[in-house]
Amino acid sequence: MNIDHIRLFVRVAATNNISKAGQELRLSPAVASSYITRLEEELGVRLVHRTTRKVSLTEEGIAFLPYAEEVLASVELALTSVGSGRYTPRGVLRITAPASFGYMHLVPGLKGFLELYPDISIDLNLSDTVVDIVAGGFDVAIRSAALKDSTLIARALAPDRRIICASPDYIKKQGAPETPEDLKNHDCVILSGIDNWSFKTPEGDTHVKISGRLHLDNGSAMREASVEGLGLSLNSTWSVYKQLKRGTLIQVLKDYPLISGSSIWAVYPSSRQVSPKVKAFIDYFHHLFGTPPYWDYQE
């Protein structure tokens, strides 16, 4: 069984397009089509439904896909183990990540990553919608929420520390809260219905129900609303570190850390061996972010 045929099939499954998959692997549409045909002939089943408008996997193709992915991962690992440094990670690396985090931290880091690994190409999907990694054909996902799917493996890239911020203008007009209980007398910018903030205090954990006139469903918009003086907001330090450095936002309630324990995770399917390109990506960005991460700004 030809590895190049299997590699193309996996890309067809991810793109639903034979020509696009072939282009990624530097194959003409005719050659790519012939590769799929040869693989089907060798297996004795039809793997792909082809129409003039779209391509989709047959039931046999869906069943074959995880084994094809496993074969490719095994080949890459085998080459790495015997390559004595001559084999480098290669291929298309499909990543999905939250939009704001991707814009601010992944995209700027890709220049160095691609220079270090010239045989890797990146297909990056930035969306705040949590997608099905396997169904979407992604190699790795970046997430900040706790892992719930037992079929996935997660590696922590960096801690996700969260703080309460306000603009200097807001503090000048309304004052700064001295204790978590003071929040009940302040305007807060509320994200996606998260109107209970939890703090560690000398007396134990406390939970405060906050209120405000502005409710938003986007973290970047919430940050900018606070910069404009519209209220206090709960933010990840990776989102507000530049504003803290510039002084357009100020951290409040420093003596009362939020109860969080969140992290930035790299997540990939447990049904596959971790491929060299995924391992290279995770190792690179774990090192780039640092411990503590470069965005964990302390005033």
Side-chain angles (χ1 to χ4, degrees):
M1 193 173 293
N2 191 303
I3 292 298
D4 290 334
H5 297 172
I6 296 175
R7 183 174 288 112
L8 176 67
F9 168 73
V10 170
R11 295 308 306 147
V12 169
T15 62
N16 292 320
N17 189 305
I18 294 176
S19 296
K20 182 179 179 181
Q23 186 178 20
E24 289 180 359
L25 300 176
R26 300 179 182 177
L27 302 172
S28 69
V31 171
S33 181
S34 71
Y35 276 17
I36 296 298
T37 299
R38 291 177 192 174
L39 182 59
E40 290 176 327
E41 290 174 348
E42 187 169 3
L43 293 172
V45 296
R46 182 177 292 278
L47 299 172
V48 174
H49 289 300
R50 312 186 202 195
T51 69
T52 55
R53 293 188 177 182
K54 67 177 183 178
V55 170
S56 61
L57 297 188
T58 64
E59 290 185 9
E60 292 80 7
I62 293 171
F64 179 65
L65 179 59
Y67 297 101
E69 293 170 332
E70 192 74 17
V71 166
L72 291 183
S74 296
V75 168
E76 289 188 349
L77 287 169
L79 289 171
T80 302
S81 68
V82 300
S84 300
R86 290 180 285 119
Y87 179 79
T88 59
R90 64 186 65 240
V92 178
L93 180 62
R94 300 195 72 233
I95 308 162
T96 180
S100 295
F101 186 83
Y103 289 134
M104 293 184 67
H105 300 287
L106 286 185
V107 172
L110 287 178
K111 182 176 184 293
F113 178 77
L114 292 172
E115 288 176 348
L116 186 61
Y117 298 104
D119 294 325
I120 292 180
S121 298
I122 299 293
D123 183 350
L124 177 60
N125 170 272
L126 295 179
S127 172
D128 291 327
T129 301
V130 177
V131 302
D132 186 318
I133 302 174
V134 176
F138 292 101
D139 297 298
V140 63
I142 304 302
R143 292 181 179 170
S144 57
L147 184 62
K148 296 180 180 179
D149 190 337
S150 61
T151 66
L152 301 176
I153 295 174
R155 272 193 58 188
L157 294 181
D160 183 12
R161 190 168 70 92
R162 298 175 185 183
I163 59 176
I164 308 300
C165 300
S167 70
D169 183 58
Y170 178 89
I171 292 174
K172 182 178 179 180
K173 292 178 179 178
Q174 305 294 334
E178 299 294 331
T179 70
E181 287 297 318
D182 291 343
L183 290 171
K184 295 177 180 179
N185 301 316
H186 281 268
D187 289 323
C188 297
V189 182
I190 301 173
L191 176 67
S192 300
I194 302 176
D195 57 1
N196 277 285
W197 294 353
S198 300
F199 299 85
K200 296 179 181 178
T201 75
E203 293 75 31
D205 296 347
T206 186
H207 309 279
V208 179
K209 186 174 178 61
I210 51 94
S211 61
R213 298 168 60 198
L214 182 58
H215 296 242
L216 296 168
D217 65 354
N218 179 273
S220 295
M222 181 183 66
R223 177 193 65 221
E224 296 308 310
S226 278
V227 169
E228 294 300 321
L230 294 175
L232 298 157
S233 60
L234 186 159
N235 300 272
S236 293
T237 51
W238 63 257
S239 177
V240 296
Y241 76 107
K242 291 182 179 179
Q243 288 73 20
L244 292 172
K245 288 182 178 179
R246 288 195 292 260
T248 55
L249 284 178
I250 296 171
Q251 181 183 354
V252 300
L253 296 174
K254 291 182 182 180
D255 295 332
Y256 300 92
L258 284 155
I259 300 172
S260 174
S262 298
S263 294
I264 303 298
W265 301 93
V267 179
Y268 57 91
S270 60
S271 59
R272 308 173 194 168
Q273 300 180 58
V274 58
S275 68
K277 62 186 177 184
V278 170
K279 184 178 185 302
F281 172 82
I282 293 173
D283 289 346
Y284 178 86
F285 278 93
H286 182 268
H287 176 74
L288 178 68
F289 295 156
T291 305
Y294 61 78
W295 61 70
D296 207 357
Y297 175 72
Q298 301 282 353
E299 292 182 293

